[in-house]
Amino acid sequence: MQRANPEAVPTGWWSWPERKFGVVVVGVGRAGSVRIRDLRNPHPSSAFLNLIGFVSRRELGSVEGVPQISLEDALSSQEVEVAYICSENSSHEDYIRQFLNAGKHVLVEYPMTLSWAAARDLWDLAEQKGRVLHEEHVELLMEEFAFLKKEVVGKDLLKGSLLFTAGPLEQERFGFPAFSGISRLTWLVSLFGELSLVSATLEQRKEDQYMKMTVCLETENKRPLTWIEEKAPGLKRNRHLSFHFKSGSLENMPNVGVNKNIFLKDQNIFVQKLLGQFSEKELAAEKKRILHCLWLAEEIQKHCYSKE
């Protein structure tokens, strides 16, 4: 469960922290680079964190003055207490397991894993170790989602659809489309509650790098929702949505403003967890939603592959 205002400063944030959590960033692609930038800038949540270094398979030496360290040193160092996992989706599970077993707190970019069972096991491991395991969901911190949440509250859905288009992604690195696109599924679950799978199909033309996944879902009130992921060279990154309610319709997204510092807002939430400022009820609701989305993604994958 994302808090209503992730920008709100928790109690005591304006006072200098008694201690800082040593952080290592694993992976320095787009998300990792943003994480390093936020950690180095003077934000309230960053005051609780001390960036020690980054881990990368590439030999980079340093990035913006931040030193590269080996994975072995990151795992064994008592100075490192937190790992930000920003690597390719296919590597998330292994990195999370290694850092949790080494007694570190973990922030991981979505999806946490490429299987529901693995995510459940990792959450059990985090609880056994008494460590925070946080899956980033910046899509829930976007202005568009805040707008949609206000639009759908209290309305009786009749049917809806969400189409996402973008350039191609390598499944070997980023996972099956239901996992790599899990932020769209998270939107639907967060807006309309837990969903059940009706059908799913996958159309692929590998020679053209074309992929189209069509998923038919149902709400608990048996209202139909269609989720489509379409990817090919030249396709612009875009979301097209259509929600029909008894009281009217919402067709596509109006311009609701620029998304500012969404990774920083996610970091704020993570630090609040490190400081024990989330209730057990809030944490349990978030875990339930994340595992439900991962379970649905896996069911969609099974359904598509059973048709091949």
Side-chain angles (χ1 to χ4, degrees), residues 165-307:
T165 60
L169 277 182
E170 293 178 45
Q171 280 197 39
E172 295 77 16
R173 296 166 61 199
F174 297 99
F176 184 78
F179 284 99
S180 60
I182 205 163
S183 63
R184 267 74 69 188
L185 187 55
T186 302
W187 261 25
L188 294 176
V189 168
S190 299
L191 290 170
F192 302 111
E194 293 196 350
L195 304 172
S196 56
L197 176 63
V198 177
S199 65
T201 58
L202 181 68
E203 179 188 349
Q204 292 188 96
R205 296 194 301 273
K206 291 186 177 179
E207 66 277 11
D208 299 324
Q209 292 183 283
Y210 177 82
M211 181 282 299
K212 184 177 183 180
M213 179 185 74
T214 304
V215 181
C216 296
L217 302 158
E218 264 187 354
T219 67
E220 289 180 336
N221 293 331
K222 303 296 182 183
R223 303 302 193 188
L225 284 169
T226 303
W227 170 34
I228 299 172
E229 296 272 309
E230 188 172 19
K231 295 181 179 177
L235 274 184
K236 288 185 177 180
R237 186 179 178 89
N238 213 339
R239 277 186 298 266
H240 307 273
L241 56 86
S242 174
F243 297 133
H244 296 270
F245 307 96
K246 282 187 176 178
S247 58
S249 299
L250 177 64
E251 298 280 353
N252 289 317
M253 181 72 67
N255 186 353
V256 292
V258 178
N259 292 305
K260 293 182 180 178
N261 298 324
I262 52 176
F263 283 92
L264 179 59
K265 292 174 185 177
D266 179 70
Q267 179 177 278
N268 292 350
I269 293 169
F270 176 62
V271 169
Q272 289 177 59
K273 290 179 181 179
L274 290 178
L275 299 176
Q277 296 180 349
F278 270 70
S279 69
E280 290 299 319
K281 184 179 178 181
E282 288 175 304
L283 293 171
E286 181 184 58
K287 175 182 174 182
K288 184 182 180 187
R289 186 206 75 224
I290 289 171
L291 287 176
H292 175 65
C293 290
L294 289 167
W295 175 80
L296 271 176
E298 190 165 281
E299 290 299 301
I300 292 166
Q301 181 176 355
K302 289 176 184 175
H303 212 87
C304 288
Y305 284 157
S306 70
K307 302 264 181 88

